[in-house]
């Protein structure tokens, strides 16, 4: 083949390159969006089934399929039963009180501990940090017998104080999040405040704590979701029906309501709605918090 022939062959191949590139890009986009659609369907399908079941009456639920639409979308009887007989209002109050106290305590304890670890040099500092790391590696369920005995000895069993103290005292992950964020705060700010006459408490309260707002938002969201969905600790340490939280109240629907799964579905929707609203309002802080923590 001569040089002219090679040149002619290359010219014929040139138009095919953009076409191949577009074909590969189209295939990649198809795979990307196809996987997103499949993931969205798999995520939302159980929720759609529960929503439809919550609007069905007992006979309709037993005689129709899970994907069949309810005859009356305005049937809110199941939600009324869940709220009144299921005592969901009391459950929301108990959950809110435990959530507020636990998160406040976690933030105060976590930020103070992180401030001490990051800003001060003291004996056995590395050992303390290693013990924190070791504590994260111990499965919590293996220490429940000893924890229960301590809680019972202190007279905290069957009270709201038991889950509050346990939620505040076992969150090593929050301390690590605060430490990671605090390492990004220049120590020159501490030195400048010291020159102005501020003591350590003032530096923590007026300099460090306000700069930790992104980390606090991240901890509030992570901790809040964990406490909101927690079932084991409230079920074990608060067996009284008056102290039920939303997770244990939802579980107790299996008792008095037996096979009334349509009422249970309405209770599930009632539990999901507050967390969904909070997520929609705070999703910007969620993404910023996770990305900031990932890059530190």
């Amino acid at each position: 083949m001569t040089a002219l022939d090679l040149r002619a062959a290359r010219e014929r191949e040139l138009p095919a390159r953009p076409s191949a590139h577009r074909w590969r890009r189209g295939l990649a986009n198809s795979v990307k969006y196809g996987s997103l659609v499949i993931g969205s369907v798999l995520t939302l399908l159980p929720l759609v089934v529960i929503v439809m079941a919550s609007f069905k009456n007992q006979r309709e639920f037993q005689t129709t399929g899970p994907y069949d639409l309810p005859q009356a979308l305005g049937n809110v009887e199941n939600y009324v039963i869940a709220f009144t007989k299921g005592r969901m209002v009391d459950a929301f109050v108990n959950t809110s009180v435990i959530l507020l106290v636990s998160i406040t305590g976690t933030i105060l304890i976590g930020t103070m501990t992180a401030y001490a670890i990051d800003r001060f040099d003291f004996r056995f500092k590395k050992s303390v940090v290693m013990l924190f790391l070791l504590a994260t590696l111990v499965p919590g369920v293996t220490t429940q017998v000893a924890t229960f005995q301590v809680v019972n000895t202190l007279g905290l069993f069957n009270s709201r104080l038991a889950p509050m103290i346990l939620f505040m005292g076992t969150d090593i992950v929050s301390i690590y999040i605060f430490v990671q964020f605090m390492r990004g705060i220049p120590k020159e700010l501490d030195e400048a405040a010291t020159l102005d006459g501020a003591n350590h408490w003032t530096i923590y309260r007026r300099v460090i704590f306000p700069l930790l707002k992104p980390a606090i938002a991240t901890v509030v969201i992570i901790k809040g979701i964990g406490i909101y969905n927690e079932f084991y600790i409230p079920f074990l340490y608060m067996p009284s029906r008056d102290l039920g939280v939303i997770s244990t109240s939802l579980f107790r629907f299996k008792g008095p309501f037996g096979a009334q799964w349509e009422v249970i579905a309405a209770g599930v929707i009632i539990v999901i709605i507050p967390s969904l609203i909070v997520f929609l309002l705070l999703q910007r802080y969620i993404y910023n918090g996770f990305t900031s923590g990932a890059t530190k």
Side-chain angles (χ1 to χ4, degrees):
M1 182 178 294
T2 64
L4 293 176
D5 294 337
L6 289 173
R7 183 176 180 181
R10 289 176 181 175
E11 290 178 352
R12 287 196 299 270
E13 291 175 357
L14 284 176
R17 290 180 179 176
S19 178
H21 178 68
R22 286 196 297 270
W23 184 83
R24 286 194 296 269
R25 188 172 60 181
L27 179 61
N29 288 332
S30 300
V31 173
K32 178 176 65 177
Y33 290 110
S35 61
L36 290 175
V37 170
I38 293 173
S40 300
V41 170
L42 293 177
T43 303
L44 295 177
L45 187 60
L47 185 61
V48 172
V49 171
I50 293 175
V51 170
M52 290 193 296
S54 67
F55 289 107
K56 296 179 180 178
N57 56 43
Q58 187 175 12
R59 182 177 180 182
E60 185 182 0
F61 180 83
Q62 294 174 349
T63 56
T64 59
Y67 304 108
D68 295 335
L69 292 175
Q71 295 178 357
L73 286 174
N75 180 22
V76 295
E77 182 181 358
N78 297 326
Y79 290 91
V80 176
I81 294 175
F83 250 106
T84 56
K85 296 183 180 180
R87 304 182 65 176
M88 293 297 291
V89 176
D90 295 337
F92 273 112
V93 172
N94 291 329
T95 302
S96 301
V97 172
I98 294 173
L99 195 66
L100 179 63
V101 176
S102 302
I103 289 179
T104 303
T106 298
I107 292 173
L108 292 177
I109 295 173
T111 52
M112 290 181 181
T113 305
Y115 178 59
I117 292 176
D118 186 66
R119 289 298 201 259
F120 297 96
D121 291 324
F122 51 87
R123 297 180 63 183
F124 308 115
K125 178 179 177 179
K126 292 184 178 178
S127 300
V128 171
V129 175
M130 288 300 298
L131 287 175
F132 279 139
L133 178 61
L134 182 63
T136 61
L137 301 178
V138 178
V141 68
T142 61
T143 60
Q144 284 303 312
V145 175
T147 304
F148 184 85
Q149 290 178 344
V150 172
V151 171
N152 192 34
T153 303
L154 295 175
L156 302 178
F157 178 70
N158 210 15
S159 70
R160 294 190 188 94
L161 284 176
M164 289 176 185
I165 293 176
L166 291 176
F167 287 139
M168 285 189 292
T170 57
D171 195 358
I172 308 300
V173 176
S174 297
I175 295 175
Y176 272 102
I177 292 175
F178 288 130
V179 169
Q180 292 299 318
F181 272 83
M182 198 169 294
R183 287 175 180 170
I185 300 175
K187 294 184 178 179
E188 288 76 9
L189 294 176
D190 300 29
E191 297 171 357
T194 303
L195 292 175
D196 291 337
N199 55 24
H200 295 305
W201 168 248
T202 304
I203 294 173
Y204 162 77
R205 182 170 57 87
R206 304 188 65 175
V207 177
I208 300 298
F209 192 82
L211 294 176
L212 287 176
K213 285 182 180 178
I216 292 173
T218 303
V219 171
V220 167
I221 293 166
I222 297 175
K223 189 76 175 179
I225 294 174
I227 295 175
Y228 192 78
N229 295 326
E230 177 66 30
F231 172 79
Y232 180 74
I233 290 179
F235 183 75
L236 180 62
Y237 293 99
M238 296 191 306
S240 174
R241 191 172 180 81
D242 295 332
L243 298 176
V245 296
I246 55 173
S247 58
T248 55
S249 296
L250 197 62
F251 176 75
R252 287 177 183 133
F253 280 156
K254 293 187 64 176
F257 297 103
Q260 294 182 1
W261 294 107
E262 66 281 358
V263 179
I264 296 176
V268 171
I269 298 301
I270 292 172
V271 171
I272 290 175
I273 289 175
S275 59
L276 182 62
I277 294 174
V278 172
F279 174 78
L280 293 177
L281 294 176
L282 301 179
Q283 57 180 327
R284 180 166 60 92
Y285 298 100
I286 296 175
Y287 298 138
N288 290 340
F290 281 124
T291 53
S292 299
T295 55
K296 287 182 181 296

